[in-house]
Amino acid sequence: MPKINISLEDEQRQFEADVAAIEKQWSSPRQAHLKRPYTAQTIAALRTSIDTTNPASSSQAVKLWNLLHEHRKNGTTELTFGTTDPTVVTQMAKHSQTVYVSGALCGFSEVSVPGMDACDYPWDTVPKVVSKISKSQQWHDQRQRQFRLRHSQKDRANLENWDYLAPIVADGDMGFGSLTSTMKMAKEFVDAGVAMIHLDDLAIGMKKFTIGQGRTVVPTSEYIDRLAAVRMQFDIMGAETLLLTRCDTDHSEFITSVIDERDHEYVQGATKSVEPLKECLAKAQANGEDLKAARNDWKSRAVLRTFDEAVKDVATDSEYDAYITEVRQTQFRSLTSRREIAARTVKQAVFFDWDIPRSAMGQYFFKSCVKAIIERALAVAPLGDVTWARMDAPNWDDIVEFHTAVRKVHPDRLFAFGYTGDYDFGKAGFSPEQVKTLHLDMAKMGIVWQVQPIWSLQGLLMATDDFAKLWASEAIGGYVREVQTPALARSPMADGFEKLSWCGGYLLDSFYETVAGEKIVEKQ
Ligand SMILES: C[C@](O)(C(=O)O)[C@H](CC(=O)O)C(=O)O
């Protein structure tokens, strides 16, 4: 292997130039809001010798950044939906300016063994789908360009000209493993051409929405580390890729560890001396009892409370006032510090044990509230570009409280919001009129990117069901009437249906013609 032929002085000069370029990028209007826990020197030293600092992901990210800022300025919003299918993406491009690749959808349709959205598929599943979609977008852009440019300038006025290169936003879930898995995933996303990815604070292997138990979050410090790992990977690549800091703390019921005192206010403990939950459930299982009922019975016997609530239960009003006033003098108090204040301000002993309720997997009980979500969102905001507080159910007051509080600290913040498929707006107190203008009302709070992530599960399945029924009952007669005729009627130049344009027939011909040396473009 030959040695690298560079003098020590040149190597140093190159390194200093790299550092200066990184610092310049970090102070640009696109990146100036970001705060890293590392220096440009560290990043410059982590790079390879080959310049990889201009990936397609960067131009797509800047396009998205500009689009979202335009919406923020105008009080409007981008509306998109989730898909994994490149053919669907071509039609979205006419109406939406971004595309969403949902992890839930990938878990159903893009894996060898499908399953519920538990993020248990390989970490490169979603990046691969982004790559597929991005290549397809580029191909549609290429074949449209070629089709247009084979027409005279005058004729082009009547041809469609879609922006197929809609920035792709993708689901990075919780990063799928250790920090290095998260970095690898971020790298694959950038290489795939993604414009923005979101990462959340859920615990790996514990993402559960459906079985009557809430979700599990990781400590704030672990959430921050995850996002810092992604930011570092983007920086190593010199990428402008956007990071959407999603927070899944809303309605989470567990936390994996109490290592970070910022979380202590929300951890629940037993306030009665009962047997550990784990033992109670093991006994119930051995006796063939209903585990859910046993769990609920145990919870009512253990009387789960946060430490502050436990103090309130035993203190007089004036004792509690003295306790909470002192607690609030510092923003994040550890349990030890809280216990110490209670010992001084409250006469009665406070029984509180957060180990008794721990699950067999070691989780602690966690009491979610809007304040906890706000604190987490603020803790990670400097590492990211857009913020999303994911909600299990739409709650207008919570939405307003969250966005108002974060905007107080970051007035220019961009926000995202996902409408989960089974949101029951009526049950959540929304009138039909409110739902009609909800996207606009949210836009006014800076929620500039709004997504229906799993449209495929509701919309596409319904459309497919309808068509399958029609085809089975009316065959080609039904097809001609309901599909072919209206599709062809979208001429002139309905995207995809005229002159084999969508299918790339002309592009294919032009490859053959070009190789054969024929002049195919009538230049004006
Ligand atoms: C956005 C999401 O992460 C997804 O995978 O599409 C899901 C969607 C959903 O559950 O409806 C989520 O919000 O967690």
PDB file of all heavy atoms in Angstrom, residues 139 143 146-147 150 499-501 503-521:
ATOM      1  N   TRP A 139     -35.874   9.484 -11.537  1.00  0.00           N
ATOM      2  CA  TRP A 139     -36.192   8.923 -12.851  1.00  0.00           C
ATOM      3  C   TRP A 139     -37.394   9.656 -13.473  1.00  0.00           C
ATOM      4  O   TRP A 139     -37.375   9.999 -14.658  1.00  0.00           O
ATOM      5  CB  TRP A 139     -36.495   7.420 -12.701  1.00  0.00           C
ATOM      6  CG  TRP A 139     -36.872   6.776 -13.989  1.00  0.00           C
ATOM      7  CD1 TRP A 139     -36.050   6.493 -15.040  1.00  0.00           C
ATOM      8  CD2 TRP A 139     -38.179   6.359 -14.380  1.00  0.00           C
ATOM      9  NE1 TRP A 139     -36.758   5.917 -16.063  1.00  0.00           N
ATOM     10  CE2 TRP A 139     -38.066   5.825 -15.679  1.00  0.00           C
ATOM     11  CE3 TRP A 139     -39.422   6.387 -13.757  1.00  0.00           C
ATOM     12  CZ2 TRP A 139     -39.169   5.321 -16.370  1.00  0.00           C
ATOM     13  CZ3 TRP A 139     -40.510   5.872 -14.446  1.00  0.00           C
ATOM     14  CH2 TRP A 139     -40.381   5.352 -15.731  1.00  0.00           C
ATOM     15  N   ARG A 143     -37.283  11.592 -16.951  1.00  0.00           N
ATOM     16  CA  ARG A 143     -38.094  11.281 -18.141  1.00  0.00           C
ATOM     17  C   ARG A 143     -39.033  12.443 -18.491  1.00  0.00           C
ATOM     18  O   ARG A 143     -39.299  12.695 -19.667  1.00  0.00           O
ATOM     19  CB  ARG A 143     -38.816   9.949 -18.002  1.00  0.00           C
ATOM     20  CG  ARG A 143     -39.783   9.806 -16.856  1.00  0.00           C
ATOM     21  CD  ARG A 143     -41.207   9.937 -17.294  1.00  0.00           C
ATOM     22  NE  ARG A 143     -42.075  10.008 -16.130  1.00  0.00           N
ATOM     23  CZ  ARG A 143     -43.042  10.900 -16.012  1.00  0.00           C
ATOM     24  NH1 ARG A 143     -43.242  11.807 -16.929  1.00  0.00           N
ATOM     25  NH2 ARG A 143     -43.798  10.905 -14.958  1.00  0.00           N
ATOM     26  N   GLN A 146     -36.738  14.949 -20.265  1.00  0.00           N
ATOM     27  CA  GLN A 146     -36.417  14.506 -21.624  1.00  0.00           C
ATOM     28  C   GLN A 146     -37.636  14.673 -22.531  1.00  0.00           C
ATOM     29  O   GLN A 146     -37.527  15.116 -23.668  1.00  0.00           O
ATOM     30  CB  GLN A 146     -35.950  13.040 -21.567  1.00  0.00           C
ATOM     31  CG  GLN A 146     -35.432  12.484 -22.880  1.00  0.00           C
ATOM     32  CD  GLN A 146     -36.546  11.871 -23.718  1.00  0.00           C
ATOM     33  OE1 GLN A 146     -37.595  11.496 -23.212  1.00  0.00           O
ATOM     34  NE2 GLN A 146     -36.298  11.802 -25.021  1.00  0.00           N
ATOM     35  N   PHE A 147     -38.806  14.349 -22.021  1.00  0.00           N
ATOM     36  CA  PHE A 147     -40.036  14.478 -22.808  1.00  0.00           C
ATOM     37  C   PHE A 147     -40.283  15.937 -23.185  1.00  0.00           C
ATOM     38  O   PHE A 147     -40.612  16.261 -24.318  1.00  0.00           O
ATOM     39  CB  PHE A 147     -41.229  13.924 -22.018  1.00  0.00           C
ATOM     40  CG  PHE A 147     -42.501  13.869 -22.812  1.00  0.00           C
ATOM     41  CD1 PHE A 147     -42.683  12.905 -23.782  1.00  0.00           C
ATOM     42  CD2 PHE A 147     -43.518  14.803 -22.581  1.00  0.00           C
ATOM     43  CE1 PHE A 147     -43.858  12.861 -24.522  1.00  0.00           C
ATOM     44  CE2 PHE A 147     -44.698  14.760 -23.311  1.00  0.00           C
ATOM     45  CZ  PHE A 147     -44.878  13.789 -24.287  1.00  0.00           C
ATOM     46  N   ARG A 150     -37.706  17.391 -25.804  1.00  0.00           N
ATOM     47  CA  ARG A 150     -37.801  16.946 -27.186  1.00  0.00           C
ATOM     48  C   ARG A 150     -38.919  17.710 -27.917  1.00  0.00           C
ATOM     49  O   ARG A 150     -39.166  17.482 -29.100  1.00  0.00           O
ATOM     50  CB  ARG A 150     -37.992  15.442 -27.299  1.00  0.00           C
ATOM     51  CG  ARG A 150     -39.281  14.927 -26.686  1.00  0.00           C
ATOM     52  CD  ARG A 150     -39.416  13.428 -26.861  1.00  0.00           C
ATOM     53  NE  ARG A 150     -39.546  13.090 -28.272  1.00  0.00           N
ATOM     54  CZ  ARG A 150     -38.933  12.085 -28.876  1.00  0.00           C
ATOM     55  NH1 ARG A 150     -38.134  11.306 -28.198  1.00  0.00           N
ATOM     56  NH2 ARG A 150     -39.118  11.839 -30.165  1.00  0.00           N
ATOM     57  N   LYS A 499     -49.218   9.196 -24.252  1.00  0.00           N
ATOM     58  CA  LYS A 499     -48.023   8.919 -25.064  1.00  0.00           C
ATOM     59  C   LYS A 499     -46.904   8.253 -24.266  1.00  0.00           C
ATOM     60  O   LYS A 499     -45.733   8.570 -24.444  1.00  0.00           O
ATOM     61  CB  LYS A 499     -47.504  10.233 -25.673  1.00  0.00           C
ATOM     62  CG  LYS A 499     -48.501  10.886 -26.600  1.00  0.00           C
ATOM     63  CD  LYS A 499     -47.935  12.188 -27.107  1.00  0.00           C
ATOM     64  CE  LYS A 499     -48.935  12.875 -27.991  1.00  0.00           C
ATOM     65  NZ  LYS A 499     -48.579  14.244 -28.288  1.00  0.00           N
ATOM     66  N   LEU A 500     -47.282   7.379 -23.389  1.00  0.00           N
ATOM     67  CA  LEU A 500     -46.282   6.626 -22.628  1.00  0.00           C
ATOM     68  C   LEU A 500     -45.291   7.496 -21.870  1.00  0.00           C
ATOM     69  O   LEU A 500     -44.206   7.060 -21.530  1.00  0.00           O
ATOM     70  CB  LEU A 500     -45.501   5.690 -23.567  1.00  0.00           C
ATOM     71  CG  LEU A 500     -46.253   4.471 -24.061  1.00  0.00           C
ATOM     72  CD1 LEU A 500     -45.342   3.644 -24.971  1.00  0.00           C
ATOM     73  CD2 LEU A 500     -46.711   3.611 -22.899  1.00  0.00           C
ATOM     74  N   SER A 501     -45.682   8.747 -21.621  1.00  0.00           N
ATOM     75  CA  SER A 501     -44.749   9.629 -20.940  1.00  0.00           C
ATOM     76  C   SER A 501     -44.421   9.116 -19.542  1.00  0.00           C
ATOM     77  O   SER A 501     -43.262   8.966 -19.173  1.00  0.00           O
ATOM     78  CB  SER A 501     -45.340  11.036 -20.896  1.00  0.00           C
ATOM     79  OG  SER A 501     -44.972  11.681 -19.729  1.00  0.00           O
ATOM     80  N   CYS A 503     -44.622   6.249 -18.238  1.00  0.00           N
ATOM     81  CA  CYS A 503     -43.898   4.977 -18.211  1.00  0.00           C
ATOM     82  C   CYS A 503     -42.466   5.113 -18.712  1.00  0.00           C
ATOM     83  O   CYS A 503     -41.701   4.146 -18.675  1.00  0.00           O
ATOM     84  CB  CYS A 503     -44.620   3.946 -19.070  1.00  0.00           C
ATOM     85  SG  CYS A 503     -46.296   3.665 -18.540  1.00  0.00           S
ATOM     86  N   GLY A 504     -42.109   6.265 -19.219  1.00  0.00           N
ATOM     87  CA  GLY A 504     -40.722   6.472 -19.650  1.00  0.00           C
ATOM     88  C   GLY A 504     -40.418   5.889 -21.012  1.00  0.00           C
ATOM     89  O   GLY A 504     -39.247   5.643 -21.332  1.00  0.00           O
ATOM     90  N   GLY A 505     -41.449   5.677 -21.818  1.00  0.00           N
ATOM     91  CA  GLY A 505     -41.233   5.124 -23.160  1.00  0.00           C
ATOM     92  C   GLY A 505     -40.314   6.006 -23.997  1.00  0.00           C
ATOM     93  O   GLY A 505     -39.395   5.521 -24.663  1.00  0.00           O
ATOM     94  N   TYR A 506     -40.558   7.307 -23.927  1.00  0.00           N
ATOM     95  CA  TYR A 506     -39.742   8.230 -24.723  1.00  0.00           C
ATOM     96  C   TYR A 506     -38.308   8.266 -24.234  1.00  0.00           C
ATOM     97  O   TYR A 506     -37.371   8.396 -25.011  1.00  0.00           O
ATOM     98  CB  TYR A 506     -40.344   9.641 -24.684  1.00  0.00           C
ATOM     99  CG  TYR A 506     -41.509   9.765 -25.612  1.00  0.00           C
ATOM    100  CD1 TYR A 506     -42.815   9.591 -25.156  1.00  0.00           C
ATOM    101  CD2 TYR A 506     -41.307  10.038 -26.963  1.00  0.00           C
ATOM    102  CE1 TYR A 506     -43.889   9.680 -26.000  1.00  0.00           C
ATOM    103  CE2 TYR A 506     -42.375  10.127 -27.823  1.00  0.00           C
ATOM    104  CZ  TYR A 506     -43.669   9.944 -27.333  1.00  0.00           C
ATOM    105  OH  TYR A 506     -44.718  10.028 -28.187  1.00  0.00           O
ATOM    106  N   LEU A 507     -38.157   8.149 -22.935  1.00  0.00           N
ATOM    107  CA  LEU A 507     -36.804   8.159 -22.362  1.00  0.00           C
ATOM    108  C   LEU A 507     -36.042   6.925 -22.852  1.00  0.00           C
ATOM    109  O   LEU A 507     -34.890   7.024 -23.291  1.00  0.00           O
ATOM    110  CB  LEU A 507     -36.895   8.156 -20.828  1.00  0.00           C
ATOM    111  CG  LEU A 507     -35.582   8.190 -20.072  1.00  0.00           C
ATOM    112  CD1 LEU A 507     -34.821   9.490 -20.331  1.00  0.00           C
ATOM    113  CD2 LEU A 507     -35.826   8.035 -18.567  1.00  0.00           C
ATOM    114  N   LEU A 508     -36.739   5.799 -22.826  1.00  0.00           N
ATOM    115  CA  LEU A 508     -36.128   4.553 -23.283  1.00  0.00           C
ATOM    116  C   LEU A 508     -35.707   4.685 -24.747  1.00  0.00           C
ATOM    117  O   LEU A 508     -34.573   4.358 -25.122  1.00  0.00           O
ATOM    118  CB  LEU A 508     -37.143   3.423 -23.122  1.00  0.00           C
ATOM    119  CG  LEU A 508     -36.644   2.022 -23.410  1.00  0.00           C
ATOM    120  CD1 LEU A 508     -35.859   1.504 -22.220  1.00  0.00           C
ATOM    121  CD2 LEU A 508     -37.832   1.096 -23.678  1.00  0.00           C
ATOM    122  N   ASP A 509     -36.633   5.197 -25.587  1.00  0.00           N
ATOM    123  CA  ASP A 509     -36.317   5.377 -27.012  1.00  0.00           C
ATOM    124  C   ASP A 509     -35.091   6.253 -27.175  1.00  0.00           C
ATOM    125  O   ASP A 509     -34.226   5.980 -28.002  1.00  0.00           O
ATOM    126  CB  ASP A 509     -37.496   6.041 -27.736  1.00  0.00           C
ATOM    127  CG  ASP A 509     -38.632   5.058 -27.951  1.00  0.00           C
ATOM    128  OD1 ASP A 509     -38.393   3.841 -27.751  1.00  0.00           O
ATOM    129  OD2 ASP A 509     -39.745   5.497 -28.283  1.00  0.00           O
ATOM    130  N   SER A 510     -35.046   7.316 -26.359  1.00  0.00           N
ATOM    131  CA  SER A 510     -33.965   8.278 -26.563  1.00  0.00           C
ATOM    132  C   SER A 510     -32.610   7.661 -26.211  1.00  0.00           C
ATOM    133  O   SER A 510     -31.607   8.009 -26.811  1.00  0.00           O
ATOM    134  CB  SER A 510     -34.213   9.560 -25.768  1.00  0.00           C
ATOM    135  OG  SER A 510     -33.618   9.474 -24.517  1.00  0.00           O
ATOM    136  N   PHE A 511     -32.596   6.729 -25.251  1.00  0.00           N
ATOM    137  CA  PHE A 511     -31.327   6.051 -24.947  1.00  0.00           C
ATOM    138  C   PHE A 511     -30.830   5.294 -26.193  1.00  0.00           C
ATOM    139  O   PHE A 511     -29.676   5.398 -26.582  1.00  0.00           O
ATOM    140  CB  PHE A 511     -31.492   5.058 -23.787  1.00  0.00           C
ATOM    141  CG  PHE A 511     -31.751   5.720 -22.444  1.00  0.00           C
ATOM    142  CD1 PHE A 511     -32.594   5.132 -21.508  1.00  0.00           C
ATOM    143  CD2 PHE A 511     -31.138   6.922 -22.122  1.00  0.00           C
ATOM    144  CE1 PHE A 511     -32.824   5.731 -20.279  1.00  0.00           C
ATOM    145  CE2 PHE A 511     -31.367   7.531 -20.877  1.00  0.00           C
ATOM    146  CZ  PHE A 511     -32.217   6.937 -19.966  1.00  0.00           C
ATOM    147  N   TYR A 512     -31.777   4.544 -26.784  1.00  0.00           N
ATOM    148  CA  TYR A 512     -31.390   3.774 -27.981  1.00  0.00           C
ATOM    149  C   TYR A 512     -30.954   4.708 -29.096  1.00  0.00           C
ATOM    150  O   TYR A 512     -29.952   4.485 -29.773  1.00  0.00           O
ATOM    151  CB  TYR A 512     -32.573   2.911 -28.451  1.00  0.00           C
ATOM    152  CG  TYR A 512     -32.744   1.660 -27.615  1.00  0.00           C
ATOM    153  CD1 TYR A 512     -33.733   1.566 -26.651  1.00  0.00           C
ATOM    154  CD2 TYR A 512     -31.885   0.573 -27.800  1.00  0.00           C
ATOM    155  CE1 TYR A 512     -33.872   0.423 -25.874  1.00  0.00           C
ATOM    156  CE2 TYR A 512     -32.026  -0.573 -27.027  1.00  0.00           C
ATOM    157  CZ  TYR A 512     -33.022  -0.645 -26.073  1.00  0.00           C
ATOM    158  OH  TYR A 512     -33.157  -1.779 -25.310  1.00  0.00           O
ATOM    159  N   GLU A 513     -31.728   5.794 -29.283  1.00  0.00           N
ATOM    160  CA  GLU A 513     -31.433   6.709 -30.387  1.00  0.00           C
ATOM    161  C   GLU A 513     -30.094   7.407 -30.175  1.00  0.00           C
ATOM    162  O   GLU A 513     -29.321   7.603 -31.103  1.00  0.00           O
ATOM    163  CB  GLU A 513     -32.556   7.744 -30.504  1.00  0.00           C
ATOM    164  CG  GLU A 513     -33.833   7.141 -31.060  1.00  0.00           C
ATOM    165  CD  GLU A 513     -35.071   8.011 -30.813  1.00  0.00           C
ATOM    166  OE1 GLU A 513     -34.929   9.097 -30.204  1.00  0.00           O
ATOM    167  OE2 GLU A 513     -36.146   7.589 -31.215  1.00  0.00           O
ATOM    168  N   THR A 514     -29.832   7.756 -28.917  1.00  0.00           N
ATOM    169  CA  THR A 514     -28.579   8.462 -28.613  1.00  0.00           C
ATOM    170  C   THR A 514     -27.383   7.562 -28.879  1.00  0.00           C
ATOM    171  O   THR A 514     -26.403   7.966 -29.493  1.00  0.00           O
ATOM    172  CB  THR A 514     -28.574   8.941 -27.154  1.00  0.00           C
ATOM    173  OG1 THR A 514     -29.754   9.690 -26.927  1.00  0.00           O
ATOM    174  CG2 THR A 514     -27.367   9.820 -26.860  1.00  0.00           C
ATOM    175  N   VAL A 515     -27.506   6.314 -28.424  1.00  0.00           N
ATOM    176  CA  VAL A 515     -26.408   5.355 -28.652  1.00  0.00           C
ATOM    177  C   VAL A 515     -26.192   5.154 -30.150  1.00  0.00           C
ATOM    178  O   VAL A 515     -25.063   5.088 -30.633  1.00  0.00           O
ATOM    179  CB  VAL A 515     -26.726   4.013 -27.953  1.00  0.00           C
ATOM    180  CG1 VAL A 515     -25.754   2.922 -28.384  1.00  0.00           C
ATOM    181  CG2 VAL A 515     -26.674   4.195 -26.442  1.00  0.00           C
ATOM    182  N   ALA A 516     -27.291   5.148 -30.903  1.00  0.00           N
ATOM    183  CA  ALA A 516     -27.188   4.935 -32.348  1.00  0.00           C
ATOM    184  C   ALA A 516     -26.757   6.204 -33.075  1.00  0.00           C
ATOM    185  O   ALA A 516     -26.633   6.222 -34.298  1.00  0.00           O
ATOM    186  CB  ALA A 516     -28.531   4.445 -32.886  1.00  0.00           C
ATOM    187  N   GLY A 517     -26.548   7.302 -32.328  1.00  0.00           N
ATOM    188  CA  GLY A 517     -26.051   8.526 -32.947  1.00  0.00           C
ATOM    189  C   GLY A 517     -27.113   9.329 -33.657  1.00  0.00           C
ATOM    190  O   GLY A 517     -26.806  10.186 -34.490  1.00  0.00           O
ATOM    191  N   GLU A 518     -28.391   9.088 -33.318  1.00  0.00           N
ATOM    192  CA  GLU A 518     -29.442   9.849 -34.005  1.00  0.00           C
ATOM    193  C   GLU A 518     -29.782  11.114 -33.247  1.00  0.00           C
ATOM    194  O   GLU A 518     -29.719  11.165 -32.032  1.00  0.00           O
ATOM    195  CB  GLU A 518     -30.689   8.982 -34.157  1.00  0.00           C
ATOM    196  CG  GLU A 518     -30.451   7.884 -35.156  1.00  0.00           C
ATOM    197  CD  GLU A 518     -31.657   6.966 -35.268  1.00  0.00           C
ATOM    198  OE1 GLU A 518     -32.755   7.397 -34.875  1.00  0.00           O
ATOM    199  OE2 GLU A 518     -31.478   5.834 -35.739  1.00  0.00           O
ATOM    200  N   LYS A 519     -30.165  12.116 -34.013  1.00  0.00           N
ATOM    201  CA  LYS A 519     -30.517  13.391 -33.396  1.00  0.00           C
ATOM    202  C   LYS A 519     -31.991  13.302 -32.998  1.00  0.00           C
ATOM    203  O   LYS A 519     -32.859  13.126 -33.849  1.00  0.00           O
ATOM    204  CB  LYS A 519     -30.298  14.511 -34.423  1.00  0.00           C
ATOM    205  CG  LYS A 519     -30.493  15.897 -33.898  1.00  0.00           C
ATOM    206  CD  LYS A 519     -29.949  16.881 -34.931  1.00  0.00           C
ATOM    207  CE  LYS A 519     -30.223  18.296 -34.517  1.00  0.00           C
ATOM    208  NZ  LYS A 519     -31.586  18.711 -34.699  1.00  0.00           N
ATOM    209  N   ILE A 520     -32.262  13.354 -31.705  1.00  0.00           N
ATOM    210  CA  ILE A 520     -33.660  13.159 -31.289  1.00  0.00           C
ATOM    211  C   ILE A 520     -34.339  14.443 -30.843  1.00  0.00           C
ATOM    212  O   ILE A 520     -35.543  14.521 -30.724  1.00  0.00           O
ATOM    213  CB  ILE A 520     -33.759  12.139 -30.140  1.00  0.00           C
ATOM    214  CG1 ILE A 520     -32.860  12.574 -28.984  1.00  0.00           C
ATOM    215  CG2 ILE A 520     -33.465  10.738 -30.599  1.00  0.00           C
ATOM    216  CD1 ILE A 520     -33.263  12.001 -27.676  1.00  0.00           C
ATOM    217  N   VAL A 521     -33.581  15.473 -30.523  1.00  0.00           N
ATOM    218  CA  VAL A 521     -34.207  16.683 -30.005  1.00  0.00           C
ATOM    219  C   VAL A 521     -34.239  17.752 -31.080  1.00  0.00           C
ATOM    220  O   VAL A 521     -33.230  18.064 -31.685  1.00  0.00           O
ATOM    221  CB  VAL A 521     -33.439  17.212 -28.775  1.00  0.00           C
ATOM    222  CG1 VAL A 521     -34.099  18.466 -28.216  1.00  0.00           C
ATOM    223  CG2 VAL A 521     -33.341  16.141 -27.714  1.00  0.00           C
TER     224      VAL A 521
END
